[in-house]
C-alpha cells in the first residue's frame, strides 16, 4: 500500500558505508545518515564507530544542521539503541538514547526486527550515498575534510527535485520545518556514562584501553564520559582528565603531566618510563637538561630538570620555552622559575591594561 507522511512528522536514521581514500590507503568507513520522509532532506556524517555515542552525536549534529526536531525518529533495533525487544513495537531503550529523545521531545520509534523497508527513505539514501557521493571514491586528507565534503553534498542536494515532485527538497523542507519544534535552548551532551576504579598506576580502564588521571585520584572511583572523539574523567562534578579517544585495543593513553608529581620520588622514570621517553617537547628542553647535567652532574641535573618540567601543569609550554631561552646563558632551575613568574605577570598586566587610546567611560570629562 503506498504510504505518505505529513510534513514534519517523521525522520529516519541509519548507518551506511562507503570507501574513502586517505593518505595511508583506502578504508571502508561508517556514515551516519538521516532523511525526512516528507521532504527527503538528508544529513550525512562520517563516524569512527557505530556505537551508542556515535548515534547520539550523529543525531545531535543532524538536528543542528536542520535547525529543528521532528515529531518522530525511526531507527532499526541495534543493541546500542534498544536493550530489549518487547511485544509488538514496544522497546526497552538504552538510557542515553531515551534521554536524547526526552531532551529533544521526539517519539523514538523502532522498526520491526529485520524490517528495514519500514524506513525506505533513509534506506534509499544509503544507496544514493554510495552512488552519488562516493563514486568515484572520495580522496581526503582526514575525517574533517570528508565531513566537510559530505556537508556540501547535503546542502547542494537541497536544490534537487525528487521524482514525482514539483518542488525542490529545500522548498518541501521549509514545510517540514514550519510544522515542528525549534531546537531546545540547552545543548544535549552526546556521551555515554560509566564509572571506573583508578589503579596504582593512575589509570582507568575503558573500552579495552587504559587512560591516565592525576595522582590525587589514584585508588578512587571516578566518572567516565565517552564521546566519539575523546574520553573525559570526572570527579566531584569537574573534569579531571581528558584524552583523545583511542579505538585500538590494549593501548595505554598516558598524559606526562599526570605523573610529574611522582618524579620527585622516582627521578629515574624520566629515562625508563615510556610516557616520558615518548614525550614530544621543544628541543630547548633537551638542551636544558644536557646543560644542567654538565654543570651539576647526572643526578642533581636531572632533579633540576624535573623541577622545570613540574611548571608545565601551571604554565603553557610556550611560556616555559621562552623562559628557558631567555636564561640560556645560565642553566639554573630557580632562575627559570623566576623568569616564568615575571612573564606570567607581564601577560596578566597586558590583558588587564586598557588598549592605547581607550578612555574610561566612567571618568568625567
Amino acid at each position: 500500500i503506498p504510504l505518505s507522511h505529513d510534513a514534519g512528522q517523521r525522520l529516519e536514521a541509519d548507518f551506511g558505508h562507503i570507501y574513502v581514500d586517505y593518505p595511508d590507503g583506502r578504508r571502508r568507513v561508517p556514515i551516519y545518515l538521516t532523511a525526512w520522509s516528507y521532504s527527503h532532506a538528508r544529513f550525512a556524517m562520517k563516524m569512527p564507530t557505530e556505537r551508542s555515542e556515535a548515534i547520539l552525536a550523529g543525531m545531535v549534529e543532524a538536528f543542528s544542521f536542520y535547525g529543528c526536531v521532528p515529531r518522530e525518529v525511526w531507527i532499526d533495533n541495534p543493541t546500542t539503541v534498544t536493550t530489549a525487544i518487547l511485544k509488538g513495537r514496544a522497546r526497552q531503550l538504552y538510557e542515553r538514547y531515551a534521554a536524547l529523545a526526552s531532551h529533544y521531545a521526539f517519539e523514538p520509534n523502532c522498526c520491526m526486527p529485520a524490517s528495514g523497508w519500514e524506513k525506505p527513505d533513509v534506506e534509499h539514501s544509503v544507496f544514493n550515498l554510495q552512488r552519488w557521493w562516493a563514486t568515484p571514491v572520495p580522496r581526503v586528507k582526514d575525517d574533517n575534510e570528508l565531513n566537510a565534503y559530505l556537508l556540501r553534498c547535503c546542502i547542494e542536494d537541497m536544490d534537487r527535485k525528487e521524482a514525482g515532485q514539483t518542488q525542490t527538497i529545500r522548498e518541501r523542507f521549509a514545510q517540514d520545518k514550519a510544522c515542528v519544534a525549534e531546537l531546545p535552548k540547552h545543548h544535549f551532551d552526546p556521551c555515554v556514562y560509566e564509572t571506573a576504579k583508578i589503579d596504582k598506576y593512575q589509570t582507568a580502564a575503558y573500552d579495552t584501553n587504559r587512560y591516565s588521571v592525576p595522582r590525587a585520584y589514584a585508588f578512587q572511583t571516578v566518572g567516565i564520559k565517552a564521546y566519539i572523539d575523546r574520553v573525559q574523567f570526572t570527579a566531584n562534578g569537574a573534569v579531571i582528565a581528558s584524552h583523545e579517544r583511542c579505538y585500538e585495543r590494549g593501548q595505554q593513553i598516558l598524559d606526562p603531566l599526570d605523573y610529574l608529581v611522582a618524579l620527585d620520588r622516582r627521578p629515574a622514570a624520566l629515562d625508563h618510563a615510556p610516557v616520558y621517553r615518548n614525550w614530544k617537547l621543544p628541543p630547548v628542553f633537551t638542551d636544558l637538561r644536557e646543560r644542567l647535567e654538565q654543570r651539576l652532574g647526572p643526578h642533581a641535573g636531572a632533579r633540576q630538570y624535573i623541577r622545570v618540567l613540574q611548571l608545565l601543569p601551571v604554565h603553557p609550554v610556550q611560556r616555559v620555552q621562552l623562559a628557558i631561552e631567555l636564561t640560556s646563558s645560565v642553566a639554573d632551575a630557580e632562575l627559570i622559575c623566576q623568569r616564568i613568574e615575571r612573564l606570567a605577570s607581564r601577560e596578566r598586566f597586558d590583558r588587564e591594561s586598557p588598549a592605547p587610546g581607550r578612555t574610561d567611560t566612567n571618568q568625567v570629562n
Side-chain angles (χ1 to χ4, degrees), residues 164-178:
Q165 299 294 336
T166 59
Q167 295 177 308
T168 64
I169 292 175
R170 190 183 305 278
E171 291 170 332
R172 290 177 67 82
F173 177 65
Q175 300 171 38
D176 267 327
K177 198 168 184 178

Side-chain angles (χ1 to χ4, degrees), residues 187-264:
H187 178 75
F188 181 81
D189 202 14
C191 66
V192 298
Y193 296 119
E194 288 190 18
T195 59
K197 182 70 175 291
I198 307 301
D199 64 10
K200 65 179 181 180
Y201 298 108
Q202 301 174 221
T203 64
Y206 179 74
D207 193 23
T208 77
N209 297 315
R210 303 199 71 90
Y211 298 84
S212 68
V213 301
R215 181 65 184 173
Y217 300 94
F219 306 106
Q220 297 185 26
T221 298
V222 300
I224 300 177
K225 298 173 68 176
Y227 299 84
I228 58 172
D229 59 345
R230 66 191 186 279
V231 179
Q232 291 183 344
F233 296 87
T234 62
N236 302 320
V239 176
I240 60 173
S242 182
H243 296 273
E244 184 178 350
R245 179 77 176 266
C246 177
Y247 285 97
E248 298 179 23
R249 299 178 66 86
Q251 302 298 309
Q252 288 189 331
I253 298 87
L254 309 178
D255 187 346
L257 300 181
D258 292 336
Y259 297 92
L260 287 177
V261 174
L263 279 181
D264 281 334

Side-chain angles (χ1 to χ4, degrees), residues 18 26 52 79 100 105 198 212 226 254 259 283 364:
I18 61 173
R26 179 168 295 184
S52 298
T79 56
L100 176 81
I198 307 301
S212 68
L254 309 178
Y259 297 92
V364 179

Side-chain angles (χ1 to χ4, degrees), residues 27-240:
R27 299 203 301 268
R28 187 172 181 264
V29 300
I31 306 294
Y32 186 77
L33 282 162
T34 61
W36 289 75
S37 297
Y38 178 79
S39 64
H40 305 289
R42 296 179 173 91
F43 173 78
M45 181 179 179
K46 189 267 178 184
M47 290 291 173
T49 178
E50 297 182 33
R51 300 176 61 170
S52 298
E53 52 267 41
I55 294 174
L56 298 175
M59 200 70 76
V60 169
E61 292 296 331
F63 291 156
S64 178
F65 173 73
Y66 295 129
C68 60
V69 182
R71 294 193 290 272
E72 301 175 358
V73 173
W74 285 77
I75 198 168
D76 284 323
N77 297 275
T79 56
T80 52
V81 171
T82 58
T83 57
I85 298 177
L86 308 177
K87 185 176 180 180
R89 293 194 180 273
R91 301 290 186 270
Q92 181 176 321
L93 296 177
Y94 173 57
E95 60 179 8
R96 289 298 291 159
Y97 188 75
L100 176 81
S102 176
H103 180 86
Y104 286 104
F106 66 79
E107 184 68 27
N109 292 319
C110 297
C111 301
M112 295 298 289
S115 303
W117 60 81
E118 292 190 345
K119 48 180 181 57
D121 295 288
V122 75
E123 293 285 343
H124 190 62
S125 295
V126 170
F127 174 73
N128 288 337
L129 167 73
Q130 299 166 343
R131 186 178 60 167
W132 294 346
W133 300 349
T135 304
V137 175
R139 185 182 298 274
V140 298
K141 63 181 180 180
D142 55 26
D143 288 344
N144 290 332
E145 185 176 341
L146 175 60
N147 279 328
Y149 164 72
L150 292 173
L151 185 62
R152 290 196 304 271
C153 291
C154 293
I155 295 173
E156 293 169 0
D157 192 57
M158 287 283 196
D159 296 321
R160 182 177 57 83
K161 291 181 181 179
E162 277 284 321
Q165 299 294 336
T166 59
Q167 295 177 308
T168 64
I169 292 175
R170 190 183 305 278
E171 291 170 332
R172 290 177 67 82
F173 177 65
Q175 300 171 38
D176 267 327
K177 198 168 184 178
C179 300
V180 296
E182 297 180 351
L183 293 175
K185 294 181 179 179
H186 301 288
H187 178 75
F188 181 81
D189 202 14
C191 66
V192 298
Y193 296 119
E194 288 190 18
T195 59
K197 182 70 175 291
I198 307 301
D199 64 10
K200 65 179 181 180
Y201 298 108
Q202 301 174 221
T203 64
Y206 179 74
D207 193 23
T208 77
N209 297 315
R210 303 199 71 90
Y211 298 84
S212 68
V213 301
R215 181 65 184 173
Y217 300 94
F219 306 106
Q220 297 185 26
T221 298
V222 300
I224 300 177
K225 298 173 68 176
Y227 299 84
I228 58 172
D229 59 345
R230 66 191 186 279
V231 179
Q232 291 183 344
F233 296 87
T234 62
N236 302 320
V239 176
I240 60 173

Side-chain angles (χ1 to χ4, degrees), residues 219-333:
F219 306 106
Q220 297 185 26
T221 298
V222 300
I224 300 177
K225 298 173 68 176
Y227 299 84
I228 58 172
D229 59 345
R230 66 191 186 279
V231 179
Q232 291 183 344
F233 296 87
T234 62
N236 302 320
V239 176
I240 60 173
S242 182
H243 296 273
E244 184 178 350
R245 179 77 176 266
C246 177
Y247 285 97
E248 298 179 23
R249 299 178 66 86
Q251 302 298 309
Q252 288 189 331
I253 298 87
L254 309 178
D255 187 346
L257 300 181
D258 292 336
Y259 297 92
L260 287 177
V261 174
L263 279 181
D264 281 334
R265 294 181 291 106
R266 298 287 187 272
L270 199 58
D271 296 313
H272 300 289
V275 66
Y276 289 115
R277 288 205 308 266
N278 301 330
W279 196 6
K280 304 299 182 183
L281 288 172
V284 296
F285 284 83
T286 303
D287 296 339
L288 172 65
R289 182 180 181 183
E290 292 175 354
R291 290 187 287 115
L292 286 169
E293 291 183 351
Q294 288 175 359
R295 186 170 71 87
L296 303 172
H299 184 72
R303 286 193 173 277
Q304 288 266 310
Y305 179 64
I306 289 171
R307 186 178 177 189
V308 174
L309 293 179
Q310 289 174 336
L311 297 168
L312 292 172
V314 180
H315 302 277
V317 173
Q318 295 81 1
R319 184 184 296 162
V320 179
Q321 178 181 353
L322 180 58
I324 294 173
E325 292 171 346
L326 293 174
T327 57
S328 58
S329 59
V330 180
D332 183 82

